């Protein structure tokens, strides 16, 4: 809902002064002393000069009272109200989606609520072209269009990096925005596959609150509160809180987590708007590190393996396994509006993150430990099959400090219209990794007991007895500056050009737990990134684009160096895209289409002769994407996302499992997500949908190993009981209890997808 506010000024102001002249005194006159923290000072002088030259001079300028600029904020439906959105801030300043010459998919809060999505990982499954690597540390390594969306640099919160490893919850998210293709011009290092922006809930000028209480399968219990209070004519407070517990999430992991977020805004919509926020999330979850593959038959090649035939919720780890973690950060934001077309947004965020994972790597035991001394295959797999449980711990902490300032403005110069984005950002990151000493290193050795398929998970070891010591410490300072101009060169044509320059200095200390020796590595990187695009917009409903963008990845993106990687220059990637964004005549439906080609031009490979990582590799992925979002009729709403990558290949690379001529791992040919709801009556709404992908290979896959494709189905029914203040909703996910490998890792293990689960939610609004 829009909130209008009228400010009175001297009557002569409106008669004699242009809008640009009205805002010029905010910078140039001492009569109004606006506070411009941090990055505002970087642009104040130049914007003051621009404002003066853009406005006609008048004799009464110095005596006029300052005019407050009111923004037309909060006109577009919030994420809770609609599947469809038309604007985004993933491109730094607020922009129309149709003016971005790259594909963007937005998962709104309504879609997450409709499909009962609690985590960012599950939300990303609603966007096609996304797959997951079950990484060695238990974290999620996201792939988009076949290229990594690294958690170290490609995940963002409100446009600022979110690089730590933790289980991200959606309780404080208004929407999730996915920018596809190379994007280092906007964000710096990383962003080869794209960027994922998590948009936090903001305080609004309305008294509006909601509490959701959910119960479900496996003793699932979740309470989420969203409290918004209007504290003044231009200020508001929003508090979000969450508590979740479950014996099993449907994929073998217990849940025990809580979170709290607060956001306070004042000066909302005025010339100077401020915002402070705090976020804290604590996870005390269990962990299902994954399930082993099994050989298909005794006569089949050793590379011919498949998933084991067990229920998705099966767990074979120890009772003492856990995945503890916390994420906390405080943020400050200032928006200064020079005019309705020009604003400067400055943000600062300080974060602290901790993680303590104690996991069991479950594998099928060798023939000597199996009944009858016979090796296990899918033909003799049974409840008597013996499993070993190894150790995979991950103990680490991270601190970071981010600051950025972004200026967006619109103006006319040399007879053409310009939309300029420019800014600067700074990042300080420090990560410490710790490990457990074994007996030879002054610690202890712990042997975990075996189990069988029939016995399942259980048993216990004393994890607190491990002797923990630092194994690595990474610290970096990075900064970047960028500028982008979208120029309307003709009535229906726009041209975009952008350039960014980044610098990063990092050092890594590696600690030897046996000798206590410390090895130091240092690296400095300086790199430019580009972005170009052409848009053809014959009407306000049609936008066609052709774009080119670059990205780069440093060898320090994993927050570590080695002798092989410390002197390796960055990898460079490029993305080309031909696409369209089209709205229906009634503006109820939006569609997106794109043909794309992504190329990693110089991928790192280890030269076996010199044992150094060299940029000798190359790979590409070519495909088609489409999204369809909105209302087909006033009662029928739909969301669909589909990706077809028909051509993906490693063009150059080292010989081996994933070498030249092979299709890269974790790239299915077809993948899609569909969701549709229908308002049967004024009080009853029903919905259904599906997620699907074709087969794909794990990373470092041996020839012949792949994960089968799958289709899962979901259903929902929602009823407004008594009044519109109480809503009852039922969700059924994976209604056929389809077993499938969700995240894949080499030929060692995979993490299953969530099995059939039922949720009942009561939502109360007040």
């Amino acid at each position: 809902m829009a909130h209008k506010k009228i400010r009175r000024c001297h009557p002569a102001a409106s008669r004699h002064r242009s809008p640009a002249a009205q805002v010029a005194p905010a910078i140039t006159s001492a009569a109004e002393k606006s506070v411009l923290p941090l990055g505002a000072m970087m642009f104040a002088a130049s914007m003051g000069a621009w404002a003066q030259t853009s406005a006609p001079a008048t004799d009464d300028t110095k005596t006029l009272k300052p005019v407050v600029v009111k923004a037309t904020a909060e006109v577009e439906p919030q994420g809770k109200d609609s599947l469809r959105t038309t604007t985004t801030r993933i491109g730094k300043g607020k922009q129309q989606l149709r003016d971005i010459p790259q594909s963007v998919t937005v998962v709104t809060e309504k879609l997450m609520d409709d499909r009962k999505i609690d985590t960012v990982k599950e939300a990303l499954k609603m966007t096609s072209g996304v797959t997951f690597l079950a990484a060695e540390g238990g974290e999620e390594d996201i792939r988009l269009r076949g290229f990594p969306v690294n958690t170290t640099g490609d995940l963002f919160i409100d446009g600022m990096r979110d690089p730590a490893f933790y289980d991200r919850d959606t309780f404080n998210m208004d929407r999730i925005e996915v920018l596809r293709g190379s994007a280092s011009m906007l964000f710096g290092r990383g962003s080869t596959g794209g960027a994922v922006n998590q948009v936090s809930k903001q305080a609004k000028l309305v008294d509006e609150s909601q509490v959701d209480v959910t119960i479900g399968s496996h003793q699932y219990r979740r309470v989420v509160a969203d409290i918004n209070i209007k504290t003044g004519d231009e200020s508001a407070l929003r508090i979000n809180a969450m508590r979740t517990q479950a014996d099993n999430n449907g994929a073998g992991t217990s849940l025990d987590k809580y979170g709290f977020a607060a956001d306070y805004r004042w000066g909302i919509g005025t010339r100077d708007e401020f915002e402070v926020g705090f976020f804290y999330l604590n996870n005390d979850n269990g962990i299902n590190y994954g399930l082993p593959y099994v050989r298909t038959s005794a006569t089949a090649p050793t590379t011919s393996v498949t998933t084991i035939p067990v229920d998705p919720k099966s767990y074979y780890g120890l009772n003492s396994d856990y995945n503890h973690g916390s994420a906390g950060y405080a943020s400050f934001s200032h928006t200064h509006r020079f005019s309705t077309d020009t604003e400067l947004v400055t943000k600062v965020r300080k974060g602290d993150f901790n993680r303590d994972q104690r996991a069991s790597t479950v594998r099928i035991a060798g023939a000597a430990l199996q009944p009858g001394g016979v090796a296990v295959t899918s033909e003799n797999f049974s409840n008597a099959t013996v499993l070993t449980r190894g150790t995979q711990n991950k103990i680490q902490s991270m601190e970071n400090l981010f600051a950025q300032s972004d200026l967006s403005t619109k103006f006319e110069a040399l007879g053409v219209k310009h939309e300029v984005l420019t800014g600067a950002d700074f990042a300080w990151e420090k990560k410490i990794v710790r490990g457990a000493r074994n007996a030879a290193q002054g610690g202890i050795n712990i042997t975990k007991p075996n189990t069988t398929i029939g016995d399942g998970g259980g048993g216990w070891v004393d994890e607190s007895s491990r002797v923990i010591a630092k194994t690595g410490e990474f610290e970096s300072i990075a900064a970047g500056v960028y500028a982008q101009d979208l120029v309307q060169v003709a009535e229906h044509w726009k041209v975009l050009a952008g350039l960014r320059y980044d610098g990063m200095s990092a050092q890594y200390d590696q600690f030897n737990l046996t000798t206590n020796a410390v090895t130091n590595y240092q690296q400095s990187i300086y790199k430019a990134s580009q972005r170009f695009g052409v848009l053809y917009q014959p009407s306000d409903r049609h936008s066609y684009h052709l774009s080119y963008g670059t990205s780069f990845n440093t060898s320090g993106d994993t927050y570590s160096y080695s002798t092989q990687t410390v002197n390796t220059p960055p990898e460079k990637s490029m993305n080309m895209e031909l696409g369209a964004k089209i709205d229906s005549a009634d503006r109820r439906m939006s569609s997106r289409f794109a043909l794309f080609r992504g190329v990693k031009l110089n991928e790192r490979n280890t030269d076996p002769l010199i044992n150094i990582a060299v940029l000798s590799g190359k790979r590409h992925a070519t495909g088609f994407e489409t999204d369809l979002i909105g209302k087909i009729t006033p009662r029928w709403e739909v969301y669909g996302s589909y990706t077809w990558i028909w051509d993906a290949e490693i063009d150059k690379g080292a010989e081996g499992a994933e070498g030249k001529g092979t299709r890269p791992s974790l790239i299915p040919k077809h993948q899609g997500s569909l969701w549709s709801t229908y308002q049967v009556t004024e009080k009853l709404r029903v919905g259904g949908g599906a997620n699907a992908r074709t087969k794909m290979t794990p990373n470092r896959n041996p020839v012949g190993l792949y994960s089968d494709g799958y289709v899962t189905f979901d259903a929902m029914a929602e009823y407004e009981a008594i009044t519109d203040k109480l809503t009852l909703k039922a969700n059924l996910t994976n209604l056929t209890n389809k077993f499938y490998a969700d995240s894949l890792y080499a030929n060692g293990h995979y993490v299953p997808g969530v099995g059939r689960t039922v949720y009942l939610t009561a939502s109360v609004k007040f």
Side-chain angles (χ1 to χ4, degrees):
M1 180 180 295
H3 296 270
K4 297 182 179 179
K5 191 173 182 67
I6 299 175
R7 292 297 185 91
R8 297 186 180 277
C9 63
H10 194 285
S14 58
R15 289 198 304 268
H16 300 295
R17 304 178 67 212
S18 70
Q22 292 175 12
V23 301
I27 299 303
T28 61
S29 174
E32 180 180 358
K33 299 183 184 297
S34 296
V35 178
L36 303 181
L38 297 176
M41 300 303 296
M42 300 163 54
F43 300 102
S46 60
M47 287 309 304
W50 174 82
Q52 286 180 315
T53 57
S54 299
T58 59
D59 293 335
D60 59 352
T61 298
K62 294 183 180 180
T63 61
L64 292 177
K65 295 181 180 180
V67 176
V68 174
V69 178
K70 289 294 290 183
T72 55
E74 302 175 11
V75 174
E76 188 176 62
Q78 301 296 298
K80 191 187 292 285
D81 304 322
S82 176
L83 299 183
R84 178 178 175 268
T85 184
T86 60
T87 63
T88 179
R89 280 192 177 271
I90 196 170
K92 297 290 188 178
K94 186 175 182 179
Q95 292 179 281
Q96 295 291 319
L97 286 170
R98 69 194 307 268
D99 285 339
I100 298 177
Q102 271 180 263
S103 293
V104 179
T105 301
V106 180
V107 178
T108 65
E109 186 182 6
K110 182 176 182 181
L111 180 60
M112 290 186 278
D113 284 347
D114 276 359
R115 303 195 73 166
K116 189 59 187 71
I117 294 171
D118 297 345
T119 66
V120 171
K121 177 182 176 181
E122 293 301 313
L124 288 176
K125 291 181 183 178
M126 304 303 106
T127 69
S128 62
V130 175
T131 57
F132 301 91
L133 167 69
E136 291 179 345
E139 66 271 3
E140 300 295 348
D141 189 343
I142 307 165
R143 303 298 173 94
L144 177 59
R145 288 183 171 178
F147 295 95
V149 177
N150 292 316
T151 52
T152 56
D154 302 332
L155 293 181
F156 297 82
I157 295 177
D158 302 323
M160 303 182 77
R161 288 183 184 272
D162 180 33
F165 293 124
Y166 64 100
D167 294 331
R168 293 168 172 85
D169 196 282
T170 60
F171 79 95
N172 190 46
M173 291 185 190
D174 177 76
R175 62 191 181 275
I176 296 175
E177 305 169 326
V178 180
L179 176 68
R180 300 164 183 268
S182 298
S184 285
M185 198 291 295
L186 293 171
F187 302 112
R189 71 184 192 275
S191 305
T192 300
V196 176
N197 187 38
Q198 306 156 83
V199 180
S200 303
K201 295 179 180 179
Q202 281 188 311
K204 303 177 292 183
L205 291 175
V206 64
D207 290 320
E208 179 182 79
S209 300
Q210 180 172 325
V211 175
D212 301 327
V213 180
T214 305
I215 59 174
S217 305
H218 314 300
Q219 300 297 309
Y220 178 93
R221 303 173 299 281
R222 181 177 171 94
V223 179
V224 177
D226 185 351
I227 312 297
N228 194 98
I229 303 170
K230 181 181 178 182
T231 59
D233 290 343
E234 300 167 349
S235 61
L237 172 68
R238 190 167 186 176
I239 296 174
N240 283 270
M242 173 275 300
R243 182 77 169 97
T244 303
Q245 289 182 310
D247 295 340
N248 195 306
N249 69 343
T253 299
S254 63
L255 300 176
D256 187 356
K257 57 183 177 179
Y258 63 88
F260 174 84
D263 182 75
Y264 181 63
R265 297 169 68 197
W266 68 98
I268 297 176
T270 66
R271 180 187 299 275
D272 286 290
E273 180 177 319
F274 299 88
E275 182 176 10
V276 292
F278 175 78
F279 176 90
Y280 183 76
L281 175 65
N282 184 279
N283 292 296
D284 194 8
N285 301 334
I287 181 168
N288 178 13
Y289 192 75
L291 300 175
Y293 298 99
V294 63
R295 193 172 174 183
T296 55
S297 70
T299 58
T302 57
T303 57
S304 179
V305 297
T306 187
T307 56
I308 61 176
V310 297
D311 191 275
K313 66 177 181 294
S314 299
Y315 176 69
Y316 297 102
L318 294 170
N319 292 334
S320 51
D321 291 351
Y322 61 81
N323 186 18
H324 296 177
S326 65
Y329 52 84
S331 58
F332 170 81
S333 174
H334 171 225
T335 300
H336 181 77
R337 298 183 174 96
F338 297 90
S339 71
T340 55
D341 290 331
T342 303
E343 70 175 24
L344 178 65
V345 180
T346 302
K347 299 178 181 180
V348 179
R349 191 176 74 225
K350 174 65 173 64
D352 290 276
F353 307 84
N354 292 280
R355 181 186 184 202
D356 185 357
Q357 170 197 290
R358 312 293 174 94
S360 293
T361 50
V362 178
R363 299 290 186 266
I364 295 176
L369 296 178
Q370 301 294 343
V374 179
V376 175
T377 69
S378 59
E379 297 173 330
N380 62 6
F381 185 88
S382 69
N383 283 341
T385 296
V386 177
L387 303 175
T388 61
R389 294 184 283 199
T391 297
Q392 184 60 256
N393 297 335
K394 186 69 72 172
I395 307 166
Q396 57 192 25
S397 62
M398 171 175 277
E399 294 180 77
N400 50 47
L401 175 65
F402 302 112
Q404 65 184 51
S405 195
D406 302 295
L407 174 72
S408 58
T409 183
K410 299 178 182 179
F411 59 91
E412 287 192 27
L414 302 177
V416 294
K417 296 179 180 179
H418 297 260
E419 294 182 32
V420 172
L421 284 173
T422 184
D425 51 54
F426 167 85
W428 170 78
E429 298 169 88
K430 183 177 182 179
K431 180 180 179 181
I432 296 176
V433 177
R434 297 175 174 86
R437 295 183 184 270
N438 58 34
Q441 296 167 337
I444 63 171
N445 295 332
I446 295 180
T447 302
K448 295 183 176 181
N450 296 338
T451 188
T452 66
I453 293 295
D455 291 337
W460 183 87
V461 298
D462 186 4
E463 289 290 344
S464 66
S465 65
R466 296 187 188 274
V467 178
I468 306 302
K470 185 189 298 186
T471 60
E473 180 174 328
F474 182 94
E475 185 171 7
S476 68
I477 294 178
V481 293
Y482 77 94
Q484 173 185 283
D485 193 4
L486 180 65
V487 185
Q488 182 147 6
V489 294
E491 182 179 1
H492 302 302
W493 292 88
K494 296 179 180 179
V495 175
L496 179 140
L499 180 67
R500 179 185 173 101
Y501 189 75
D502 282 281
M504 184 187 77
S505 178
Q507 70 171 13
Y508 176 65
D509 292 330
Q510 187 177 48
F511 301 88
N512 189 304
L513 295 186
T514 301
T515 64
N516 294 320
V518 180
T519 305
N520 176 265
Y521 302 97
Q522 296 184 1
Q523 185 185 51
S524 294
I525 295 292
Y526 301 94
K527 191 71 175 176
S529 303
Q530 304 85 34
R531 186 189 196 195
F532 304 100
V534 177
L535 294 112
Y536 173 60
Q537 298 173 334
S539 74
D540 60 357
R541 297 191 299 108
H542 300 80
S543 182
Y544 305 91
H545 67 264
L546 175 66
S547 65
Y548 168 87
T550 66
S551 62
F552 69 96
N553 297 92
T554 73
S555 55
D557 283 358
T558 57
Y559 294 111
S560 65
Y561 290 118
S562 66
T563 303
Q564 291 78 19
T565 63
V566 67
N567 292 316
T568 305
E571 299 173 314
K572 183 178 179 179
S573 302
M574 55 78 68
N575 181 79
M576 294 182 292
E577 181 174 306
L578 175 65
K581 299 179 180 70
I582 301 174
D583 292 339
S584 62
D586 58 12
R587 299 300 198 281
R588 291 196 303 232
M589 292 288 297
S590 294
S591 58
R592 174 186 71 82
F593 307 90
L595 289 168
F596 63 88
R597 181 177 177 86
V599 182
K600 179 159 282 192
L601 300 168
N602 55 348
E603 190 171 31
R604 281 187 292 271
N605 281 295
T606 300
D607 189 316
L609 298 179
I610 58 177
N611 196 30
I612 295 293
V614 295
L615 302 178
S616 61
K618 182 180 179 181
R619 68 172 64 195
H620 73 268
T622 306
F624 167 79
E625 291 173 338
T626 183
D627 290 344
L628 182 67
I629 306 170
K631 291 187 176 182
I632 298 176
T633 71
R635 291 177 176 266
W636 184 10
E637 196 165 21
V638 66
Y639 170 96
S641 184
Y642 167 73
T643 297
W644 172 27
I645 301 180
W646 67 79
D647 177 30
E649 185 175 333
I650 296 177
D651 304 293
K652 297 179 184 177
E655 297 297 327
E658 196 170 350
K660 181 179 178 180
T662 64
R663 185 180 181 90
S665 60
L666 303 169
I667 306 180
K669 279 193 175 182
H670 301 278
Q671 187 180 23
S673 179
L674 178 66
W675 181 251
S676 180
T677 62
Y678 189 80
Q679 193 77 40
V680 181
T681 68
E682 289 186 4
K683 292 184 175 294
L684 177 64
R685 187 168 65 103
V686 297
N691 287 345
R693 68 162 170 79
T694 54
K695 69 180 183 180
M696 66 180 185
T697 58
N699 68 313
R700 300 204 298 268
N701 58 292
V703 177
L705 172 59
Y706 62 86
S707 171
D708 291 329
Y710 66 86
V711 181
T712 61
F713 299 95
D714 304 330
M716 180 273 288
E718 181 183 74
Y719 184 74
E720 288 186 359
I722 306 175
T723 69
D724 60 357
K725 300 298 184 182
L726 174 62
T727 302
L728 303 177
K729 183 175 64 174
N731 286 89
L732 178 59
T733 64
N734 194 0
L735 58 89
T736 64
N737 202 35
K738 174 69 175 179
F739 181 84
Y740 63 98
D742 182 21
S743 305
L744 312 178
Y745 185 74
N747 61 342
H749 66 272
Y750 59 93
V751 178
V754 173
R756 183 190 297 119
T757 48
V758 179
Y759 303 102
L760 301 175
T761 302
S763 299
V764 180
K765 299 178 181 179
F766 55 94

